[in-house]
């Protein structure tokens, strides 16, 4: 967390422009023509008040470095990563902060193919063996998406990944402090899916 801004910076402060800028960065990443190298001069340039234009909630998977796949430099986006992009109070509070205090107009929930957290939930439901420790919390939060996808469906894993993204988006859109800005069109909450093989991000419809 840092200084307040009240404006999402590079993308003109609108949800549509912020999403266009984020996806344009992903196209640069996929094409092998990134603009930002994440060097120390970029970090120094962003050392004043932060003015991000998006917050991206993604998975902890080491193959999905969010600043890199969207080709974003220091200070451009806020990144939150949890196993299977699972929400808790700290995550929701962090998103509420950047929307309310930093004026960020875009929230993206980004899932990815072959997600291990979703796979753990599928395995737990199929075997009836709930894992121990806090991993059980992740499994419990993802389990409804697995059930909705159909535990007996051979394609339950990829289907549940998409369902879980959509459920997370819906939960954020209904959040007490986000619902108003979303309804007014000042903030957009969208879902996406990252393809590990191609590097491409595809938007998911609400479903």
């Amino acid at each position: 967390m840092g200084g307040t801004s009240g404006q999402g910076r590079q993308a003109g402060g609108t949800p549509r422009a912020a999403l266009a800028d984020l996806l344009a960065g992903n196209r640069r990443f996929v094409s092998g023509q990134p603009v930002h190298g994440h060097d120390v001069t970029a970090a120094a340039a962003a050392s004043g008040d932060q003015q991000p234009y998006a917050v991206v909630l993604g998975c902890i998977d080491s193959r999905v470095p969010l600043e890199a796949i969207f080709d974003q430099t220091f200070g451009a986006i806020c990144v939150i990563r949890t196993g299977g992009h699972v929400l808790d109070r700290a995550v929701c509070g962090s998103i509420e902060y950047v929307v309310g205090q930093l004026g960020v107009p875009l929230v993206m929930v980004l899932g990815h193919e072959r997600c291990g957290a979703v796979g753990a939930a599928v395995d737990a439901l199929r075997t009836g063996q709930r894992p121990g420790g806090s991993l059980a919390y992740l499994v419990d939060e993802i389990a409804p998406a697995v059930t909705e996808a159909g535990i007996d469906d051979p394609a339950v894993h990829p289907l549940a990944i998409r369902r879980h993204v959509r459920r997370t988006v819906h939960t954020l859109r209904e959040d007490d402090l986000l619902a108003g800005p979303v309804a007014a069109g000042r903030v957009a909450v969208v879902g996406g899916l990252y393809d590990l093989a191609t590097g491409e991000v595809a938007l998911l419809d609400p479903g």
Side-chain angles (χ1 to χ4, degrees), residues 3-44:
T4 60
S5 162
Q7 286 287 340
R9 62 166 180 189
Q10 301 162 349
T14 68
R16 182 188 298 266
L19 181 58
D21 195 73
L22 204 60
L23 295 177
N26 178 244
R27 289 192 293 272
R28 294 194 300 272
F29 171 73
V30 172
S31 69
Q33 298 177 318
V35 172
H36 303 295
H38 300 285
D39 58 32
V40 292
T41 57

Side-chain angles (χ1 to χ4, degrees), residues 103-172:
V104 167
L106 177 68
V107 181
M108 173 177 279
V109 178
L110 187 66
H112 67 92
E113 302 287 4
R114 305 198 300 276
C115 179
V118 174
V122 171
D123 290 342
L125 289 181
R126 280 183 167 171
T127 64
Q129 297 180 350
R130 186 170 178 265
S134 295
L135 178 57
Y137 174 76
L138 293 183
V139 165
D140 290 346
E141 292 298 299
I142 298 170
V146 177
T147 301
E148 289 177 7
I151 191 62
D152 295 322
D153 193 315
V156 62
H157 192 176
L159 291 173
I161 289 169
R162 289 155 175 77
R163 190 69 240 157
H164 181 50
V165 170
R166 293 184 175 107
R167 288 178 58 87
T168 307
V169 167
H170 177 75
T171 299
L172 287 171

